[in-house]
Amino acid sequence: MRLLQPVKISGWGLNGKVAKMEVNGADGGAGIVFNRSIKAAVENAQVIGNCTCLKSGKGMVMMVEHFLAACYGIGISDLMVDIEGGMLPFGEGSAQPFVRAFLRAGLVNTKSQETVKLRSPIGVKDGKGFILLVPGEKLRIHCLIDYPHLGRQFFSGFITRKFFCEEIAPARTFGRPPRHLKERLGFGLKRVRGWVFPKRLRFNNEPCRHKVLDLLGDLALLGRPLQGEIFAFNPSHSLNLILVRRLKEMGA
């Protein structure tokens, strides 16, 4: 998919400052590039403060996962993104604001990217979390989380554009946001054992759905759509990046 018109988005960043971004379509094969020099690729990725960040040379862009999830879920692969302040707008903590902005701007079909197809299963582990990826005809994700403050939650589905936009993109994040940000999120919050959640959930398993959202954002760093079936238990950005790096090592 290609973006027809430029998109401008602004809002609070995790650093408590106003973050502004402008998104423009790019030529096929360019990939997603921030500030003209930082490509959305796993080689440039690292985890800082439970967020996925991209760094190349002296440039850094923080908290890219929700934006990249929107790109992956809709199928947008080539963009030029200009960021002021080095951080993307946090918005409501989901991918939905980016999805809505893309749809308002308009999209046009382009030549489909070649997909990454597995020949054998891949398993990765980090702490108590693990991800198993097995060959499959379409991308399907099964996610189970089990945290003391949440209990067990499960979410599963084939990742189509419609399914992503309706069932995954609206899922908001949870965790320990900076104090200055909690006053600016624009929706009610509740605290459970030191963790902060939206007071009124959009889905009973909204935290689990958000973990799938984060996983898709990190999978976007592969640079090509993935074909296969994923079984994830307590995934994290660190674990997601281990998976993407393993895929790269295997020639993906």
Side-chain angles (χ1 to χ4, degrees), residues 122-157:
I122 298 174
V124 295
K125 189 176 186 299
D126 185 34
K128 296 182 179 180
F130 68 82
I131 298 176
L132 175 64
L133 176 55
V134 300
E137 294 300 316
K138 298 179 181 180
L139 179 59
R140 186 178 186 182
I141 299 179
H142 314 271
C143 182
L144 174 66
I145 62 173
D146 189 357
Y147 298 125
H149 50 287
L150 276 178
R152 292 182 181 178
Q153 293 186 6
F154 180 75
F155 180 70
S156 176

Side-chain angles (χ1 to χ4, degrees), residues 201-239:
L201 295 178
R202 291 172 174 167
F203 311 97
N204 290 335
N205 56 353
E206 186 170 354
C208 188
R209 292 175 188 239
H210 188 82
K211 284 292 185 179
V212 173
L213 187 157
D214 281 343
L215 175 55
L216 290 170
D218 292 331
L219 284 176
L221 298 170
L222 189 58
R224 291 191 291 156
L226 180 64
Q227 201 171 304
E229 195 158 3
I230 295 176
F231 301 85
F233 174 70
N234 284 357
S236 64
H237 289 300
S238 296
L239 180 56

Side-chain angles (χ1 to χ4, degrees), residues 50-65:
N50 295 321
C51 299
T52 299
C53 305
L54 297 172
K55 184 176 182 181
S56 180
K58 296 182 179 180
M60 178 180 283
V61 179
M62 302 186 69
M63 200 175 182
V64 298
E65 58 266 31

Side-chain angles (χ1 to χ4, degrees), residues 1-3 32 70-72 74-79 102 107 113:
M1 300 296 291
R2 180 180 174 85
L3 199 62
I32 299 172
C71 295
Y72 192 99
I74 289 180
I76 302 174
S77 56
D78 302 294
L79 293 172
F102 290 155
L107 302 166
Q113 288 181 293

